[in-house]
Amino acid sequence: MKTIKRMFEHQMWADRRLVDAVRQSGGGSQELLRLFRHVEIAEQVWITRLNGRSTAHLQLWADDADLDSIEALLASNEQQYRTYLAELTEEQLDADLTYANQSGVEFRTPIRDILTHVALHGQYHRGQINRMLREAGGEPRPLDYIVFAREWDL
């Protein structure tokens, strides 16, 4: 449980740092914002499922992304994951969650695997966003877990 909670602390730290980097670069391209929105919507999809609600109304990809709405979604996700993780027990981690994906196909997956996926999915896309920042002349942020761990322990 401690490792999963720490992975989510890293995720939240990295998301906030990336928002700052995009804002300082001038707001990012539409492609960058579309990808960043996808990261935050995917996190919303999973916390919604974990809370037993349907995600059919959530669109994983959209072209109308803007940094302010991404930041608001990030804050909402952070609060929801903190609440969820605070109430989750070690025993519940191995329980299966039955849910439908965005196409309506039903799956059954252990909560531990879902939470691990959420943390790793965002890491992959944050690397892509950092690359886009660099290509546009912006300054990418170091988001590696070890950087987080060093700062966290200060």
Side-chain angles (χ1 to χ4, degrees), residues 7 36 59 133:
M7 288 172 68
F36 205 164
Q59 187 178 6
L133 276 174

Side-chain angles (χ1 to χ4, degrees), residues 113-133:
D113 289 343
I114 289 169
L115 293 172
T116 301
H117 165 73
V118 173
L120 296 175
H121 174 262
Q123 187 65 10
Y124 171 75
H125 288 311
R126 284 188 294 273
Q128 291 176 308
I129 293 166
N130 251 341
R131 177 189 47 81
M132 290 177 190
L133 276 174

Side-chain angles (χ1 to χ4, degrees), residues 79-139:
Q79 181 272 323
Q80 289 183 72
Y81 276 103
R82 284 188 191 283
T83 299
Y84 182 82
L85 291 169
E87 297 170 2
L88 189 65
T89 66
E90 183 70 36
E91 295 75 31
Q92 291 170 318
L93 278 173
D94 293 317
D96 285 341
L97 178 73
T98 301
Y99 59 93
N101 70 6
Q102 298 315 99
S103 299
V105 178
E106 193 168 287
F107 291 92
R108 192 174 171 159
T109 308
I111 291 170
R112 182 184 311 271
D113 289 343
I114 289 169
L115 293 172
T116 301
H117 165 73
V118 173
L120 296 175
H121 174 262
Q123 187 65 10
Y124 171 75
H125 288 311
R126 284 188 294 273
Q128 291 176 308
I129 293 166
N130 251 341
R131 177 189 47 81
M132 290 177 190
L133 276 174
R134 181 179 306 278
E135 289 172 352
E139 187 63 35

